Structure formats: structure tokens, C-alpha cells
Amino acid sequence: MVASQDPEQSSSLSNTGLVVSVRGSVVDIRFDRYLPPIYSLLRAGDEQQIVIEVLAQRDACHVRGIALTPTQGLARGMTVNDTGGPLQAPVGKGIVSRMFDVFGNTIDREGALSDVQWRSVHRSPPPLARRSTRAEVFETGIKVIDVLLPLERGGKAGLFGGAGVGKTVLLTEMIHNMIGHQEGISIFCGIGERCREGEELYREMKQAGVLQNMVMIFGQMNEPPGSRFRVGHAALTMAEYFRDDEHRDVLLLVDNIFRFIQAGMEVSGLMGQMPSRLGYQPTLGTELSQLEERISNTDTGAITSIQAVYVPADDFTDPAAVHTFSHLSSSIVLSRKRASEGLYPAIDPLQSSSKMATPGIVGERHYLLAQEIRRTLAQYAQLKDIIAMLGLEQLSSEDRKVVARARRLDRFLTQPFFTTEQFTGLKGKLVSLDEALDGCERILHDEFEDYPESALYMIGTVDEAKRKKTTGAAPAAAAPAPEVEQGADADES
């Protein structure tokens, strides 16, 4: 596919070179006139369809580049044209609701782009003088996240979850709430995505009605490592336009940040760099920082990022995991066990954490409530073995109260989503932080000890439990079955 670039740069073909060697995606090129700078984009082939990015100047006449497209048909002696600039991404109002590849080509068959300009994907993070020093909470409208692991506005959250536990559903709901509640824009960046997953996500977003305030960009699994390595930079260039030019808040979803590191490892190996520990590139920390540091809040707007994180072999000491964790302000862990119990969103409150959950940021009341909720759920987790062996009757009266509170909290922290109404038949709910805190506090004070647990399942505010009790509605017994279907729809790894 021919890369769409600025026509002025595309016509800059005065500096030409010749291919010296081709080794897979690595191409050495000789230039007699002058050497193109690092990150310059070169083109070769009959229709200029082979795109190469310069990564090293080997001597006074030779550069070494990595191909961003397949190199079939490239041979020694072929002419290579210098485009005169780096890889660029389209920005502007015209990119909204569209789907792109790393070159800025539209891949959604919706016609040509209009009202866009092109900017380099290689941009510096905002200077410290422009950054906002206020620690602000990013409200999602999802109870369990806002109460127990608040996200940071302009921060980065890691999302850990396997296939079928509701990861895509959670991301889709956050996009929906971001557009409706925050009046922001969402950008989804698929790094190393399977084609099936990208197509399914696009279709689901369209059906959920959130595509009109969203941009999607993919560097798919079958594409060369150079292309996968640059797609994150292209997505951030788009996000920075909305933050800096339109002064809007941006929600950037990245799936999967580990595949960005993996693509960098492949590029590093192909370029002949000496590998570091466990085969990772020696520049791992620098490359990840160049991407992550661009995600920040400034005086004009904020880019808040939620990134799926794969931990290789569940080894949290792996260099990829260690470097990624150092950038995250929140960790959201999805539990398969909770998903199997129909407790959606299936977030494990005890394994998940947030650096924002401190009295100085969220306030004394919120902090103490969150600590009390965690303590209650942790006590219940310890008592589960005793209950399984001896039964609930063998517990002390105080322990039985703890179990009752914990089970009601578990059910209250479930929530019907707008994006799953078609699966569950339950109307989606957006719950403010104050309403969520109020509900948790009243449950901890045993206000609902006479209510059946089912009255608190899949509701918005806690007052809905009273209406459920008075009307006699108790759909919770039948509700988990379709809810499992909700999680199964999130078939992303």
C-alpha cells in the first residue's frame, strides 16, 4: 500500500541513492550527493510502495534503514528516493471516526480524507514549564474504578487481563463515558493487533454509537516490526493535536504496550545491536520513555492513557514489565474468577492499585472509605476457606457481619454498561463518585443488612436497591448467564 504523505515532501526526489544490500527488513543504501538525516523516509520500488526509515548513518556515503513495508521485489542496484522528511501522521477534524494504518492511509473504506494536515510522528514531550502540576482524578463513571483505584487525569493506567474476562467491554465503556461525560475524544492504538480483533472492535464501536468521537489506528500483527514500532508514535501525534490545538481531553487506549517493546526488540536485533538482558534491546528504557513521556497533562488539556500490559510468563521482574510499571499511575487487574461469578466489571479490587488513592489527592473521607472496603474484602477472602470447610454457621457473629458486608459490596461494585445493553437487557448506568462513595459507606454501616444480596446486583446508585426491594424485582438470579456472554465478547489477549 502506498504511504500517504505531504505532496510537497513526496515531490522532493532530487536526492537519490542505490540499494547496496537487503537482509530481510534491513536495507543499506548508498547516497553520493548527501546523506538523509536519521528518521528520514525513503521510497523504492516501481510504484514507490516500499517505504524505508533511516535509522543509522554508517559512513560518509551509506545509511542503514528498516523497511516499514514488506521488501518483496527490492533488489541491489535499485533506485531509492529521499522524501525529504520523516514519517508523518494526519491530524485535524477530518480524522475523527476514521480508521488508519501507520502511514495515515484510511483502512475503513469510507472515502478519502479531507480537512487534514500532516505532522511528523517524531515529536518531543511537552516541556516541564507547560505541564500541569495539579494531581487531578479522572472520573470514569464506573464505581469500582472511581472508588478503589482512581485514574489520574493525564496519567497512565495499566490493564491486565486475559481473553474473555471483559477487557474490551471495559475499554469500550470508558470510551462511551469519556465522550458522553467528559466531552472528550478517544484514540485507540492497536500495536501488534490481530486483524480479527481490529475488525471486531471497529464493528462493536460502531454498534455502540461511540465511533463519531473516536479515532482508530492499527499496526497489525502481520506487518513488519518497523511499522509496529512506529504506530504508537503516530497515535500520539494525533492525540497531541486534540490536546494542544483543540484543547480537548483525550483518552488514549493502547493494546498492547508489550508489543511495542517487542517490535523495538526485533528492530534492534535486525540493526545488529548487542542485546541486553533476556534479549531485549539496550535502548529499551529510552524508547519506552520517548513514547510514554508524551502522554501528559498540560495547561491546555490532557492525554489520559489506558494501556493493556502483557507480562511475559507472569514474571513481574521481566525488564519489559519493570520498565512499563515505572510509568504507570494505576494498575487494573481483571480476574477470571470474578468473571465466572458474573461480577462485572471483573476487576480484582485487592490486586489492583492506584497511586492516586492518597488522602492528599482524593480527600480524607474517600481514602478512609477505600481502605475500609479493601479491609472488608480482604477479611472475606481469608474467611472463604473456613466457610468452604466448616460452613458459614461456624463463624463468629462479627465475622458473619464482615462476610455479609463484603458480599453486598461485591455486588454493589458491579455495574450495567451502556455498551452491553444489547447483551444483558439492562440499561447502562453512569454513577458519580459521590453517589458511589455514599453507597459503599451505607453498606459498611449495615444499612442494607436486611436486603437480599440480589437487590444490590447490577444497579447504579444504592437507592435503586430500595426500589428493587419495594417492587419485588430480583432479576439477579438470572442475570449472570447473559453477563458471561458480555465477558466472552471481550475476546482479546
Side-chain angles (χ1 to χ4, degrees):
M1 190 180 285
V2 181
S4 302
Q5 295 290 320
D6 187 345
E8 290 183 9
Q9 287 194 345
S10 298
S11 62
S12 173
L13 304 176
S14 53
N15 189 29
T16 59
L18 295 176
V19 175
V20 175
S21 68
V22 182
R23 295 184 308 282
S25 292
V26 177
V27 186
D28 286 356
I29 303 145
R30 178 184 177 88
F31 284 90
D32 292 321
R33 191 175 169 200
Y34 65 87
L35 287 186
I38 302 292
Y39 298 146
S40 289
L41 220 59
L42 316 175
R43 299 187 191 198
D46 297 333
E47 298 177 2
Q48 304 287 293
Q49 79 276 17
I50 298 172
V51 184
I52 302 160
E53 185 179 60
V54 177
L55 288 186
Q57 295 177 337
R58 299 187 61 211
D59 53 39
C61 297
H62 294 86
V63 297
R64 178 169 287 176
I66 193 92
L68 305 186
T69 54
T71 53
Q72 282 90 343
L74 193 65
R76 290 175 64 184
M78 286 182 73
T79 303
V80 177
N81 297 309
D82 178 9
T83 63
L87 178 67
Q88 295 188 316
V91 297
K93 291 183 168 63
I95 68 170
V96 179
S97 81
R98 303 302 299 270
M99 184 159 63
F100 298 92
D101 65 8
V102 69
F103 301 111
N105 298 312
T106 54
I107 52 176
D108 52 10
R109 304 184 210 165
E110 294 287 336
L113 279 177
S114 60
D115 190 25
V116 297
Q117 47 184 293
W118 295 82
R119 289 185 185 172
S120 166
V121 303
H122 303 284
R123 299 167 67 84
S124 301
L128 281 173
R130 275 200 60 216
R131 294 189 183 226
S132 170
T133 54
R134 289 175 58 201
E136 295 179 71
V137 172
F138 175 81
E139 274 196 46
T140 63
I142 299 169
K143 289 180 284 191
V144 65
I145 292 177
D146 290 343
V147 171
L148 293 177
L149 36 132
L151 304 186
E152 181 183 7
R153 181 176 176 268
K156 294 166 275 281
L159 181 60
F160 306 84
V165 293
K167 186 172 58 164
T168 307
V169 172
L170 189 57
L171 291 181
T172 314
E173 185 71 7
M174 284 189 185
I175 292 168
H176 180 280
N177 293 355
M178 172 71 176
I179 291 162
H181 182 53
Q182 307 271 357
E183 296 179 357
I185 193 108
S186 297
I187 296 178
F188 185 92
C189 174
I191 306 176
E193 279 286 291
R194 298 172 186 87
C195 302
R196 169 185 64 79
E197 292 174 345
E199 186 275 329
E200 281 176 4
L201 190 69
Y202 179 76
R203 189 160 27 86
E204 283 170 13
M205 297 298 173
K206 207 167 188 176
Q207 287 173 352
V210 299
L211 201 60
Q212 68 271 18
N213 277 298
M214 189 176 175
V215 184
M216 301 176 84
I217 180 166
F218 289 97
Q220 292 172 336
M221 190 175 274
N222 61 315
E223 293 179 23
S227 173
R228 285 181 271 129
F229 189 56
R230 288 289 172 235
V231 72
H233 297 94
L236 265 166
T237 302
M238 295 174 175
E240 285 165 344
Y241 163 80
F242 289 109
R243 179 191 67 192
D244 300 335
D245 292 40
E246 294 204 2
H247 307 322
R248 295 173 73 178
D249 279 2
V250 183
L251 180 63
L252 176 66
L253 303 150
V254 182
D255 187 10
N256 188 307
I257 201 67
F258 173 76
R259 291 177 192 155
F260 166 77
I261 294 169
Q262 208 170 32
M265 181 166 60
E266 291 178 52
V267 169
S268 173
L270 288 166
M271 293 295 291
Q273 294 180 349
M274 184 72 73
S276 181
R277 191 162 72 92
L278 297 183
Y280 285 103
Q281 62 270 42
T283 51
L284 166 61
T286 308
E287 289 168 0
L288 188 63
S289 297
Q290 284 172 344
L291 187 78
E292 297 280 9
E293 286 301 301
R294 289 169 67 180
I295 302 169
S296 62
N297 55 346
T298 66
D299 44 14
T300 57
I303 300 174
T304 304
S305 176
I306 298 169
Q307 307 170 6
V309 183
Y310 168 68
V311 181
D314 291 336
D315 178 14
F316 285 80
T317 63
D318 188 273
V322 170
H323 282 86
T324 306
F325 289 148
S326 66
H327 292 280
L328 301 178
S329 54
S330 305
S331 298
I332 302 171
V333 180
L334 295 178
S335 157
R336 192 171 300 280
K337 188 171 184 300
R338 288 178 72 83
S340 66
E341 293 171 2
L343 299 174
Y344 287 100
I347 295 169
D348 189 326
L350 299 179
Q351 288 190 23
S352 306
S353 62
S354 170
K355 292 177 184 174
M356 300 293 285
T358 61
I361 296 172
V362 297
E364 194 74 28
R365 175 180 176 246
H366 184 167
Y367 172 75
L368 292 174
L369 261 176
Q371 291 296 95
E372 182 62 29
I373 292 165
R374 284 182 187 278
R375 196 178 302 114
T376 304
L377 295 175
Q379 283 179 274
Y380 176 45
Q382 290 174 342
L383 292 169
K384 275 181 179 176
D385 288 341
I386 299 172
I387 295 168
M389 289 186 292
L390 304 174
L392 192 63
E393 297 76 21
Q394 299 303 314
L395 298 179
S396 66
S397 61
E398 190 53 46
D399 283 346
R400 282 203 292 274
K401 282 186 177 180
V402 168
V403 170
R405 285 180 208 134
R407 288 181 63 85
R408 281 164 176 76
L409 280 171
D410 268 342
R411 277 140 190 81
F412 177 64
L413 292 176
T414 62
Q415 191 166 336
F417 283 175
F418 292 96
T419 50
T420 57
E421 287 179 6
Q422 55 185 329
F423 305 118
T424 62
L426 298 171
K427 188 172 170 52
K429 308 281 184 185
L430 189 74
V431 184
S432 72
L433 175 61
D434 289 338
E435 290 171 331
L437 288 172
D438 180 56
C440 292
E441 189 172 41
R442 289 163 69 181
I443 290 169
L444 287 169
H445 290 159
D446 293 332
E447 189 178 320
F448 294 88
E449 61 181 344
D450 297 329
Y451 285 63
E453 292 170 5
S454 59
L456 292 157
Y457 179 74
M458 283 293 162
I459 60 172
T461 63
V462 77
D463 290 327
E464 289 177 36
K466 296 194 171 184
R467 288 199 291 275
K468 254 192 186 183
K469 189 182 181 187
T470 53
T471 56
E483 279 300 308
V484 172
E485 188 182 340
Q486 168 187 335
D489 247 56
D491 183 22
E492 282 214 44
S493 55

